[in-house]
Amino acid sequence: MRSESLSLSDLFKFDYFSCLRSDYAKNDCSVCIDLCPEDAMVFDRSRLTLDAKKCTGCAACVGGCPTEALSSELFDPNRFAVEFPGRSGNMISCKENIPCLGALSVEHLITIAIRSESEVVCDLFHCKECPVNSNTLVLKSIENAIIEAQDFLDAAGIKKRISAVTEVSQSETDIGRRGLLKKLAGIASEIGEERTLGETASRVDGRVPLKRVLLKNSLKTVSEDFEATALSGSPFSFVADKKIDAQTCTNCQECAMFCPTGALSLLQDNSGIIFQSGKCIACGICDDICRPGSIGTVAGIDLVDFAFDRMQLLVKHKLEICEECKVAFPYRGGEMLCDRCRDFRDNFSDIFTLAKDME
Ligand code: SF4
Ligand code: SF4
Ligand code: SF4
């Protein structure tokens, strides 16, 4: 497993190799930069850099990162998602138990809702006055995540609820931002070296974000209650179902090589591509990289495929050896020439003939 963990400040760590921009130079993910209220993050060419003087450690960017490349020293959203359902109270609040609700992704929210006995309530009462939400983007992002989490639960027929409140009484527990960070630091030191979550062992692949593993584990516990297994309608932001057009796919395999999570992989004999929606984070790298535009997204996902990491065969080619370059290629009838040699012959037929004559 690749890893290069760089400390960006006392509060944050950035795993360079987990960032989508490191996986594929043309990827334009900018979620963390867009969400940062302090403009503390910038990309210098493809490298993310953070101005530690500007960073306040609010963690608003952490939940938005699809790959968990960013992490906070004081707050572990995966640990929170596992432990919150066992605590007293059902409210997630920046005045009580979390630096900022932006630290939680849609996947965390669904996990928390599934594992909680009662409705989970997100306290957004303080967002309007909060400096972290100065450009309103953080609040919008949190609201969208809550809506999407509930939409996902509804589409699956899972009878759990997660909602937002924008009006609550200012409680005596308002300990302020510094106080809360101190409190979280205290909790972190109590936890000490114990960093392992129970679910870590079931991580299928080191590159699949842990929040995804937690979500799949949560879904498995309620799979008997699924009312619908085919989730159609609007796509979810954190997963995609894929298809490949066998007629145009050249079997170049670049989609599988660049897929950051291993959601796309090769058949053992290299004759086709397999897909697991349970590992897909909808980053779009495969769509961008496919030169003939053969790979695309299918609306909706199959919930059972997703939760149980079932494999789908997207394309299988009949491979033959090209008469010119002697490399295996997807054969669709006609001449025994791969696309590259056929294009070369069509565009440079004179050179092609000369090369043949010289043999
Ligand atoms: S949100 Fe995550 S993947 Fe996207 S640019 Fe920031 S660190 Fe990279
Ligand atoms: S889908 Fe596109 S990128 Fe993937 S193997 Fe086929 S041609 Fe190559
Ligand atoms: S299958 Fe495509 S969209 Fe999904 S994680 Fe892999 S590269 Fe990204």
Side-chain angles (χ1 to χ4, degrees), residues 14 18-21 27-33 41 43 48 61 64-70:
F14 170 53
S18 291
C19 174
L20 291 173
R21 286 181 173 242
N27 186 270
D28 58 2
C29 180
S30 62
V31 173
C32 51
I33 292 177
M41 288 188 191
F43 271 105
L48 183 69
C61 60
C65 178
T67 60
E68 295 180 339
L70 296 165

Side-chain angles (χ1 to χ4, degrees), residues 93-114:
S93 170
C94 62
K95 299 298 175 193
E96 275 294 318
N97 42 32
I98 193 167
C100 171
L101 273 93
L104 300 175
S105 65
V106 182
E107 288 153 289
H108 291 126
L109 295 175
I110 301 170
T111 294
I112 291 169
I114 291 176

Side-chain angles (χ1 to χ4, degrees), residues 49-359:
T49 55
L50 180 132
D51 184 340
K53 284 193 192 123
K54 286 185 178 176
C55 175
T56 60
C58 66
C61 60
V62 171
C65 178
T67 60
E68 295 180 339
L70 296 165
S71 57
S72 162
E73 283 295 281
L74 294 179
F75 180 76
D76 178 351
N78 290 317
R79 188 173 199 107
F80 182 83
V82 170
E83 293 181 350
F84 177 83
R87 295 180 190 173
S88 60
N90 66 338
M91 187 172 288
I92 305 175
S93 170
C94 62
K95 299 298 175 193
E96 275 294 318
N97 42 32
I98 193 167
C100 171
L101 273 93
L104 300 175
S105 65
V106 182
E107 288 153 289
H108 291 126
L109 295 175
I110 301 170
T111 294
I112 291 169
I114 291 176
R115 292 175 182 224
S116 295
E117 291 297 323
S118 55
E119 174 172 351
V120 176
V121 180
C122 300
D123 169 14
L124 305 188
F125 177 66
H126 314 278
C127 297
K128 285 205 173 74
E129 277 77 45
C130 178
V132 170
N133 184 45
S134 54
N135 53 12
T136 72
L137 289 177
V138 173
L139 175 57
K140 275 199 197 99
S141 159
I142 298 167
E143 286 173 335
N144 288 341
I146 296 168
I147 291 168
E148 191 176 0
Q150 187 61 56
D151 283 351
F152 185 92
L153 293 165
D154 291 344
I158 300 169
K159 298 199 175 4
K160 297 283 184 170
R161 283 206 56 77
I162 183 154
S163 60
V165 284
T166 51
E167 286 187 28
V168 290
S169 57
Q170 191 83 11
S171 85
E172 293 301 311
T173 58
D174 186 345
I175 57 174
R177 178 141 213 91
R178 284 187 182 282
L180 177 64
L181 286 172
K182 259 192 195 165
K183 189 173 156 185
L184 290 168
I187 294 169
S189 70
E190 274 169 34
I191 290 166
E193 291 307 304
E194 203 272 288
R195 290 265 174 219
T196 319
L197 291 170
E199 279 82 352
T200 309
S202 64
R203 193 191 288 235
V204 185
D205 177 322
R207 303 180 67 201
V208 177
L210 184 52
K211 60 184 172 183
R212 171 59 58 86
V213 178
L214 296 179
L215 172 57
K216 288 186 289 189
N217 287 347
S218 307
L219 285 169
K220 283 175 200 156
T221 65
V222 292
S223 60
E224 286 185 1
D225 303 332
F226 288 167
E227 280 182 8
T229 55
L231 305 194
S232 50
S234 11
F236 294 101
S237 63
F238 57 93
V239 62
D241 200 2
K242 308 302 293 186
K243 62 178 177 184
I244 290 180
D245 178 0
Q247 289 309 307
T248 57
C249 171
T250 59
N251 202 35
C252 70
Q253 305 175 351
E254 288 191 358
C255 52
M257 285 188 275
F258 280 86
C259 175
T261 60
L264 293 167
S265 55
L266 303 176
L267 282 174
Q268 229 169 9
D269 64 357
N270 286 347
S271 66
I273 309 274
I274 298 167
F275 174 68
Q276 288 167 282
S277 61
K279 294 182 179 180
C280 175
I281 56 170
C283 66
I285 287 178
C286 53
D287 304 295
D288 292 342
I289 214 162
C290 179
R291 273 168 277 189
S294 308
I295 193 160
T297 299
V298 183
I301 56 159
D302 184 299
L303 202 49
V304 175
D305 286 355
F306 177 80
F308 291 90
D309 270 325
R310 288 208 307 216
M311 293 184 177
Q312 294 173 54
L313 180 61
L314 294 192
V315 69
K316 177 160 173 56
H317 299 288
K318 179 172 188 275
L319 297 183
E320 294 290 353
I321 301 297
C322 172
E323 281 176 353
E324 286 305 322
C325 64
K326 314 296 180 210
V327 171
F329 73 103
Y331 182 66
R332 300 184 186 94
E335 300 168 288
M336 287 288 188
L337 281 182
C338 68
D339 288 349
R340 197 179 307 172
C341 289
R342 187 184 295 111
D343 285 352
F344 186 78
R345 184 199 58 191
D346 293 348
N347 293 324
F348 305 98
S349 55
D350 295 348
I351 301 169
F352 199 79
T353 312
L354 188 64
K356 275 218 159 257
D357 290 346
M358 290 171 69
E359 280 179 2

